[in-house]
Amino acid sequence: GAPRVDISDFIWLKKIQLLASCGLERHINLWQIPIKNPVYKLEGHQGSIQQLVFGAGQLISIDTHKTIIVWDLREMAPIQRLEGMKMHQEFPVGRMMFDSKKNGLVTMARKPLFWSITERKVPSGHTTSVSSAVYNPMFQTLVSADESSVIRVWNLNTGQAIIRFTDAHVNAKGEPVKITSTIFDSTARRLITGAHDGTMKLWNYSTGQQLKEFVGFGEGEVTGIATIHLTPYDYIFATGWNRKVSFWLDPHSLPADTAAALLELKPQHHMEGTKEDILCMACYPSTQLLVTGSYDGDIIIWNLESGHVRAHLVLPGL
């Protein structure tokens, strides 16, 4: 639960949406609000940790032994160790700060010292965790999306990045929102994305142009998207923390002039029957079967024609 020792410093790591704290303990706790226990512990210091700063994409900490550690937040591991005792021999290090212009760390004892910090960069890849990926067999391309709402398209024959577009999903403050689900539509020419805040969008993925937005999903993360043909139309199904399965008419099933005029698409129907957040979804289009799995372990087979629950899969004896 809550830490039982004095806290000497804490810092909000916006890039990974975690809170880092340090104190008398010799490790750094990383917290995911509102979870009451640390989700990560960064261990490597031999003394109590005094201060935390963020710079060059890394977390930097200093302890009472004047040891400075640079942490890679993608691997949650130390990547650089600086011995401040050798440079600040007589006086304790009072504070440290990151100089973003010179890309280095400044420590202050009796006099300031500058330390070079090298940022780890992913060559032509993502700079935050990849949260979703989908393969397009027709064009032999891969689309990957990450937690900072960046989408990349890759040529699998050459391994080269074809296009990159940023801020695919943003909140009311203009901050990027984690992309949680991706799928191609039935034509394999357009990309559908779902995000942590319940927004869903349709893209021309070869240019990065947003074509439509699917509204009405509700609050919470989109955990699954599927495309299914129900004669005579194609539909897009989505589920997640809204605890229901919602579906929209695929705009390419509409007359061209009608589809062109619609920038926002409203759901045709919501299928309800789960008590907890839906975490995953699978479909078998040829049999028109849709299956969802919920946080409470409930597995439901849905009847797509009626929009009702067809069956619950229950283990014998439960």
Side-chain angles (χ1 to χ4, degrees), residues 136-150:
N136 188 319
M138 180 181 293
F139 299 104
Q140 295 184 347
T141 53
L142 177 79
V143 171
S144 56
D146 66 26
E147 293 189 348
S148 57
S149 216
V150 174

Side-chain angles (χ1 to χ4, degrees), residues 15-16 126 128-131 145-150 176-179:
K15 192 173 183 179
I16 58 173
H126 291 271
T128 59
S129 300
V130 175
S131 50
D146 66 26
E147 293 189 348
S148 57
S149 216
V150 174
V177 177
K178 174 183 176 181
I179 297 172

